[in-house]
Amino acid sequence: MAYVPGVALLAALVVGCSAGADGNANGADSKAGSSTVSPAPPGKYLTLPAPCRAVPRSTLKDLLPGAAELPGDQQDKVFRGSAAVTYDTDRKVGCSWKSDAPSATRSLSVDFERVVSYDPAVSDDDRADTVYAKKEKAAGLSSSATPGPPDEKDKKGEESGTSEGSGKAEEPADTDTDADATGSAEPSPSESSGGSTDGTPGSSSSPEEALPSRILDNLGDAAFLQDLPKQAGSPTQHHTVSVVFRTSNVVVTVRYAEQPALITQVPDGRELQEKAQALARKLAETLSE
């Protein structure tokens, strides 16, 4: 058996350890170089507001005429609202209110959705923008953020008779809150007065015609309004206005509707739009505080 002096053995161990350390260091450097992508920043909002307290009582009195004249218990019940049934209140909450007056029934609903991206390369804000864009497209609207470069090619293809089969396949999955968006193609002309559908001339309709569905400016990071007047063939003059906006990683939907007691009466679509927008702006300010 060969004999190795203690000094020589110690020197061999030192050389071996330093070589191993160099090898580990080189390996660590190569991994660090290949994974230098930092995770996308989280969204601004980590929680959602209590939906049934999000609208002040003074605002509810204005939006739900007739409720303030009800007896105390009934009035409190109307203004208390009805919370939406959700299974993850950290991600989605909502509340609705309804007031029956002799002249008309008004209803209001507010929904908050906090979007979280589980892809470290995609920020919560970008994911929320995708969710918002699908709602905007389902409403029959399109902004520069919604289609993107691929869809612009599809539009050119449409002009030449090409169909866009792949682009619409994923729309129905995310439009649970936009069930009424299927009618958005019908009211695209500004015919919110509804005079032609019930046989009465335009002079007997609402004082002012509502503006059509459109993209809104100066509301959150992105916003649109969808106006849905009475549908053709419907016996009621039900008129719904929806305002949807995104602020950071939260998407908010406000729905405001009126159904007159008499078929001959037509809701004032412009008033519905103005009040729905005013409430949406108040909610956006509250979220940003």
Side-chain angles (χ1 to χ4, degrees):
M1 178 179 297
Y3 173 73
V4 181
V7 175
L9 178 59
L10 180 60
L13 290 174
V14 171
V15 172
C17 290
S18 61
D22 289 341
N24 290 339
N26 292 335
D29 288 343
S30 62
K31 287 184 179 180
S34 62
S35 59
T36 54
V37 179
S38 58
K44 177 180 178 180
Y45 302 103
L46 302 178
T47 60
L48 290 172
C52 293
R53 299 178 192 171
V55 184
R57 178 171 284 222
S58 58
T59 303
L60 289 174
K61 287 182 178 180
D62 179 53
L63 295 174
L64 304 172
E69 284 73 34
L70 293 173
D73 292 343
Q74 297 182 31
Q75 184 181 140
D76 290 339
K77 182 178 180 181
V78 170
F79 292 142
R80 192 181 307 125
S82 177
V85 177
T86 60
Y87 298 98
D88 189 351
T89 54
D90 287 335
R91 296 288 299 278
K92 195 170 185 179
V93 295
C95 192
S96 59
W97 300 262
K98 185 177 181 181
S99 173
D100 294 317
S103 60
T105 296
R106 296 253 182 140
S107 59
L108 170 71
S109 68
V110 176
D111 294 300
F112 299 88
E113 180 178 359
R114 186 174 69 91
V115 181
V116 177
S117 173
Y118 295 101
D119 185 347
V122 179
S123 68
D124 293 346
D125 284 18
D126 288 342
R127 175 58 186 155
D129 190 50
T130 300
V131 172
Y132 164 83
K134 288 183 179 181
K135 294 178 182 292
E136 186 182 272
K137 192 172 183 180
L141 301 169
S142 60
S143 66
S144 58
T146 303
D151 287 351
E152 289 177 3
K153 295 180 181 178
D154 292 341
K155 287 183 180 180
K156 292 180 181 179
E158 263 185 6
E159 294 176 359
S160 61
T162 306
S163 63
E164 45 173 358
S166 60
K168 291 187 177 181
E170 58 180 358
E171 286 179 26
D174 241 20
T175 55
D176 56 325
T177 60
D178 292 310
D180 49 21
T182 54
S184 60
E186 297 178 14
S188 54
S190 181
E191 52 186 26
S192 57
S193 61
S196 61
T197 59
D198 60 9
T200 57
S203 59
S204 64
S205 62
S206 58
E208 294 185 72
E209 288 188 356
L211 296 173
S213 302
R214 61 197 181 278
I215 304 297
L216 299 177
D217 297 325
N218 303 320
L219 176 55
D221 296 315
F224 71 87
L225 180 147
Q226 184 179 19
D227 185 87
L228 293 171
K230 171 184 174 181
Q231 300 298 308
S234 173
T236 63
Q237 293 284 3
H238 191 273
H239 195 132
T240 302
V241 171
S242 295
V243 176
V244 180
F245 70 91
R246 178 185 74 83
T247 174
S248 186
N249 61 318
V250 170
V251 179
V252 182
T253 301
V254 174
R255 283 191 192 81
Y256 188 41
E258 178 183 348
Q259 182 172 324
L262 301 177
I263 298 178
T264 54
Q265 294 179 330
V266 179
D268 188 339
R270 186 176 289 272
E271 179 196 6
L272 294 175
Q273 288 193 14
E274 289 175 353
K275 290 189 174 183
Q277 289 184 75
L279 174 57
R281 295 186 190 283
K282 285 183 181 179
L283 295 175
E285 291 173 2
T286 301
L287 284 171
S288 63
E289 290 177 353

